[in-house]
């Protein structure tokens, strides 16, 4: 009467998802005859793992999606029932998403993906996570699916220029069509949001006529001729706009370089004509103003007189110093301002500058000399044309800059005086060691600053290796020990040079006698070359010889 399982039982095939599963049948028993009703309950075992209907899930989530947003990824299936059925989900550890289990009305459990933190496509363009479904068996069974999450771009990044400020220099004769500069911007977004176009910002029409920018690559091209005298520089405002409408800006400073394309213009400010024939030398005949519209070295002019005339030109005398400006709020003659030099009286020296009455321009009346006058002040009176006139004064302080117009002057050694028997000399013992101080060349320069900085060097020496001259000290010292082969008398020529542009120089001659004492040096100095007859004596002897020859000739004739 024992019942046996005749084949493997499969609850899931027999009962499906029914919460209970049983098999009912009747057993017939003979002797005595009896019928028994038998019901066998089929209990579930955890022989099925959860599984997802698809192995891969693909999601596209915009990077602007707010944290807390939920995304359904469906439910996993598990053929088992009860505690062996699907119980929950787990998500691979990450910093953006978490998974929550939701239960529907029919009791099935599905997974929801919850965004915990804002996405950033520029940091993470895509995510690959593993979603695991777990049942409640012991041990539990699981099934997995791959989550592929693409972070779609939002236009959250504006373009960025490589530099906020670009600088470029152009000659004013630059050819049209020249590429001035290439500005470049990048955008961390992708797709249409990263497509950048370039354009000029709001600028004057004058600037927009000069330059054009390529909208695709940011190349700035010159399209109209430049003129340094008109405009010395331009500031271009360039903007880069991405496909989403975000804009970045940068500046381009264009410096226009001067080219010597303007000839000097000569203006006669005043002419004294006619001139008296007994006018003193140095009388000012005319005041000439020369102006060159160029800049720097291109504006430096040199004036000279052509033709033969008892006149000379001193450029500095007519050089403009500055321009003073006064304003008058009145109108007409009452507001017309003229300028005058204040002060001065008979018998006093004329002022070093003059003022042009209408323009207020100050001009040098004569050459300035830094060594005589380093600064001076003049008072300028501005007077209107009203009746009575009103005036105001201003003081102009002028500083004279030094120019390298003085050569160094040697104080020692002094030059030998005419007729002197012996020039100044120094005695150096033959036992002198290396570095022995022989003498010091002393010189001064009347200029100032770099123009008065002096340096020294040896120009001439019989024994080049015997002496050295300090570059800045002017000290003459022995460079080696004195030998018996060295000549007793040494003549050194030193060059003293300043640091002006151009440099000026002077020379000094130093006589050195190699002797142990002054008594030993005197004989060396007294050895003089045999005297040479003077030209007058030679001429006397020549005339005397001719006279004797003439006398002999007459005597022979007689």
């Amino acid at each position: 009467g024992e019942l046996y399982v005749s084949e493997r039982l499969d609850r899931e095939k027999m009962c499906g998802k029914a919460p209970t599963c049983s098999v009912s049948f009747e057993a017939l028993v003979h002797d005595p005859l009896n019928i028994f009703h038998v019901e066998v309950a089929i209990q579930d075992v955890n022989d099925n793992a959860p599984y997802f209907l698809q192995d891969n899930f693909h999601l596209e989530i915009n990077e602007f999606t707010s944290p807390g947003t939920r995304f359904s990824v469906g439910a996993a299936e598990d053929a088992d029932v009860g505690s062996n059925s699907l119980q929950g989900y787990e998500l691979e550890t990450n910093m953006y998403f978490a998974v929550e289990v939701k239960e529907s009305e029919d009791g099935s459990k599905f997974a929801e993906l919850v965004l915990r933190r804002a996405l950033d496509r520029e940091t993470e363009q895509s995510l690959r996570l593993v979603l695991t479904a777990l049942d409640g068996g012991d041990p539990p069974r699981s099934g997995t699916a791959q989550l592929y999450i693409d972070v779609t771009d939002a236009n959250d990044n504006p373009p960025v220029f490589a530099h906020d400020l670009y600088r470029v220099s152009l000659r004013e004769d630059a050819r049209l069509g020249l590429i001035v500069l290439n500005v470049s911007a990048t955008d961390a977004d992708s797709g249409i949001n990263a497509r950048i176009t370039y354009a000029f910002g709001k600028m004057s029409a004058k600037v927009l006529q000069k330059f054009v920018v390529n909208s695709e690559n940011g190349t700035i091209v010159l399209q109209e001729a430049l003129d340094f005298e008109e405009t010395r520089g331009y500031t271009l405002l360039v903007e880069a706009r991405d496909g989403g409408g975000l804009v970045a800006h940068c500046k381009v400073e264009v410096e226009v370089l001067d080219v010597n394309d303007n000839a000097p213009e000569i203006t006669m400010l005043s002419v004294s004509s006619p001139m008296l024939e007994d006018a003193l030398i140095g009388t000012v005949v005319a005041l000439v103003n020369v102006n060159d519209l160029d800049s720097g070295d291109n504006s430096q002019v040199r004036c000279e007189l052509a033709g033969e005339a008892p006149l000379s030109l001193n450029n500095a005398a007519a050089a403009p110093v500055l321009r003073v400006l006064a304003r008058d709020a009145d109108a007409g003659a009452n507001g017309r301002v003229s300028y005058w030099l204040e002060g001065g009286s008979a018998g006093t020296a004329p002022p070093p500058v003059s003022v042009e009455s209408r323009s207020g321009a100050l001009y040098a009346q004569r050459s300035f000399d830094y060594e005589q006058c380093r600064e001076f002040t003049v008072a300028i009176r501005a007077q209107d044309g009203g009746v009575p006139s009103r005036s105001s004064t201003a003081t102009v302080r002028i500083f004279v800059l030094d120019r390298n117009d003085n050569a160094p002057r040697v104080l020692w050694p002094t030059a030998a005086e005419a007729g002197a028997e012996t020039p100044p000399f120094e005695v150096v013992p033959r036992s002198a060691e290396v570095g022995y101080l022989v003498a010091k060349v002393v010189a001064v320069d009347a200029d100032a600053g770099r123009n008065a900085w002096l340096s020294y060097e040896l120009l001439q020496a019989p024994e080049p290796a015997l002496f050295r001259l300090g570059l800045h000290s002017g000290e003459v010292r022995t460079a080696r020990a004195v030998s018996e082969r060295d000549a007793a008398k040494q003549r050194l020529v030193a060059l003293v040079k300043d640091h002006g542009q151009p440099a000026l120089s002077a020379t000094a001659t130093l006589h050195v006698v190699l002797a142990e004492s002054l008594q030993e040096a005197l004989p060396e100095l007294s050895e003089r070359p045999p005297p040479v007859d003077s030209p007058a004596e030679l001429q006397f002897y020549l005339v005397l010889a001719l006279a004797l020859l003439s006398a002999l000739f007459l005597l022979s004739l007689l």
Side-chain angles (χ1 to χ4, degrees):
E2 294 179 347
L3 293 177
Y4 294 91
V5 177
S6 62
E7 65 181 36
R8 183 180 182 277
L9 300 177
D10 190 342
R11 184 187 184 282
E12 288 73 34
K13 288 184 178 180
M14 296 169 63
C15 302
K17 298 293 289 184
T20 60
C21 182
S22 63
V23 177
S24 298
F25 58 89
E26 291 180 344
L28 179 63
V29 179
H30 299 277
D31 294 327
L33 181 64
N34 199 358
I35 297 176
F36 293 92
H37 180 77
V38 180
E39 183 175 356
V40 179
I42 309 300
Q43 295 180 349
D44 183 47
V45 295
N46 192 23
D47 57 347
N48 292 281
Y51 66 94
F52 289 93
L53 297 179
Q54 58 191 72
D55 295 332
N56 302 312
F57 292 90
H58 292 271
L59 298 175
E60 289 188 354
I61 303 176
N62 191 281
E63 64 176 330
F64 268 5
T65 303
S66 302
T69 305
R70 296 172 177 269
F71 305 90
S72 176
V73 290
E77 297 289 336
D78 193 328
D80 296 322
V81 295
S83 62
N84 294 327
S85 65
L86 177 69
Q87 299 298 314
Y89 299 90
E90 290 183 356
L91 184 64
E92 179 182 346
T93 303
N94 68 96
M95 59 190 303
Y96 294 105
F97 293 95
V99 67
E100 290 185 2
V101 180
K102 294 293 183 179
E103 188 171 351
S104 60
E105 293 181 357
D106 60 359
S108 62
K109 297 179 176 63
F110 61 91
E112 276 191 351
L113 212 59
V114 182
L115 182 64
R116 297 297 190 192
R117 178 179 176 180
L119 298 170
D120 185 359
R121 186 184 185 281
E122 289 68 47
T123 304
E124 295 279 356
Q125 297 184 0
S126 63
L127 297 171
R128 180 180 177 182
L129 304 175
V130 177
L131 179 62
T132 304
L134 299 170
D135 63 17
D138 186 17
R141 290 177 176 268
S142 63
T144 61
Q146 300 289 331
L147 295 182
Y148 294 95
I149 301 173
D150 292 328
V151 182
T152 58
D153 184 47
N155 193 28
D156 58 342
N157 291 281
V160 178
F161 278 100
H163 304 281
D164 293 333
L165 177 63
Y166 295 82
R167 288 189 174 93
V168 65
S169 298
L170 292 178
R171 289 167 54 97
E172 62 174 323
D173 60 352
R175 61 177 175 82
L176 301 185
L178 177 71
I179 295 178
V180 178
L181 185 69
N182 183 267
V183 297
S184 176
T186 57
D187 196 307
D189 295 319
S190 63
I192 189 65
N193 294 330
R195 187 174 182 273
I196 298 176
T197 56
Y198 300 88
F200 282 137
K202 291 184 179 180
M203 298 185 296
S204 65
K206 178 181 178 182
V207 178
L208 294 175
Q209 291 174 357
K210 296 287 184 183
F211 305 93
V212 64
V213 61
N214 187 298
S215 62
E216 296 295 327
N217 56 26
T219 300
I220 299 175
V221 178
L222 179 67
Q223 66 176 0
E224 189 176 273
L226 301 173
D227 188 354
F228 175 85
E229 289 71 37
E230 177 186 346
T231 305
R232 300 192 176 191
Y234 298 89
T235 299
L236 310 180
L237 303 178
V238 184
E239 65 179 27
R241 184 184 299 271
D242 64 17
L246 297 181
V247 181
H249 300 86
C250 76
K251 287 185 179 180
V252 178
E253 291 186 355
V254 181
E255 178 190 13
V256 181
L257 302 178
D258 183 45
V259 175
N260 193 22
D261 57 348
N262 292 281
E265 297 178 356
I266 301 176
T267 305
M268 301 296 295
L269 298 181
S270 66
V271 179
S272 299
S273 180
M275 289 290 295
L276 296 176
E277 63 176 342
D278 60 350
L280 299 177
I281 295 177
T283 301
V284 177
V285 177
L287 192 59
V288 181
N289 182 31
V290 182
N291 185 39
D292 193 311
L293 294 178
D294 293 318
S295 179
D297 293 339
N298 296 331
S299 67
Q300 299 298 319
V301 296
R302 181 176 59 87
C303 301
E304 60 182 25
L305 288 175
E308 297 183 1
L311 301 174
S312 64
L313 191 64
N314 182 355
N315 292 351
V321 179
L322 82 159
R323 186 185 300 272
V324 294
L325 178 64
R327 290 186 174 88
D328 195 309
D330 294 323
N334 295 331
R336 189 179 300 117
V337 180
S338 58
Y339 302 89
W340 309 87
L341 286 177
E342 190 80 357
S345 58
T348 60
V353 294
S354 63
V355 62
E356 211 278 320
S357 61
R358 291 188 178 182
S359 65
L362 269 69
Y363 296 93
Q365 287 290 90
R366 57 179 181 270
S367 298
F368 299 147
D369 191 345
Y370 177 84
E371 287 72 37
Q372 294 183 3
C373 178
R374 300 191 175 188
E375 63 176 274
F376 60 89
T377 59
V378 292
I380 307 297
R381 174 166 53 90
Q383 180 176 303
D384 62 21
V387 180
S389 62
R390 292 178 176 272
S391 63
S392 180
T393 60
T395 300
V396 178
R397 190 174 185 181
I398 299 172
F399 296 89
V400 181
L401 301 179
D402 183 43
R403 186 178 181 182
N404 194 29
D405 55 350
N406 292 279
R409 183 166 64 91
V410 178
L411 302 181
W412 200 96
T414 58
E417 297 181 0
E421 291 290 333
T422 304
F425 65 93
E426 292 290 338
V427 178
V428 176
R430 288 187 174 271
S431 59
E433 298 179 350
V434 177
Y436 178 84
L437 179 61
V438 178
K440 182 179 175 67
V441 179
V442 181
V444 294
D445 194 308
D447 294 317
R450 290 184 58 87
N451 297 330
W453 294 357
L454 301 180
S455 60
Y456 304 83
E457 60 182 275
L458 274 178
L459 278 185
Q460 180 182 345
E463 302 290 342
L466 181 56
F467 300 100
R468 67 170 183 265
L469 180 60
L471 179 63
H472 302 294
S473 64
E475 293 179 348
V476 180
R477 295 179 179 270
T478 56
R480 60 173 174 81
V482 181
S483 67
E484 293 297 331
R485 294 191 303 271
D486 294 328
K489 289 190 292 186
Q490 302 279 337
R491 180 176 178 270
L492 308 179
V493 179
L495 175 70
V496 185
K497 182 171 61 175
D498 62 23
H499 285 67
Q501 292 293 334
L504 301 178
S505 61
T507 58
T509 302
L510 177 64
H511 296 273
V512 179
V513 177
L514 301 179
E516 293 298 333
S517 63
L518 181 60
Q519 290 75 13
E520 184 181 343
L522 289 177
E524 297 289 344
L525 295 172
S526 62
E527 294 178 0
R528 299 174 62 86
V532 179
D533 293 334
S534 65
E537 292 177 343
L538 292 177
Q539 186 177 6
F540 171 75
Y541 292 135
L542 182 59
V543 173
L544 181 60
L546 289 175
L548 291 175
L549 288 175
S550 299
L552 289 174
F553 177 71
L554 290 175
L555 182 60
S556 64
L557 288 178
L558 292 174

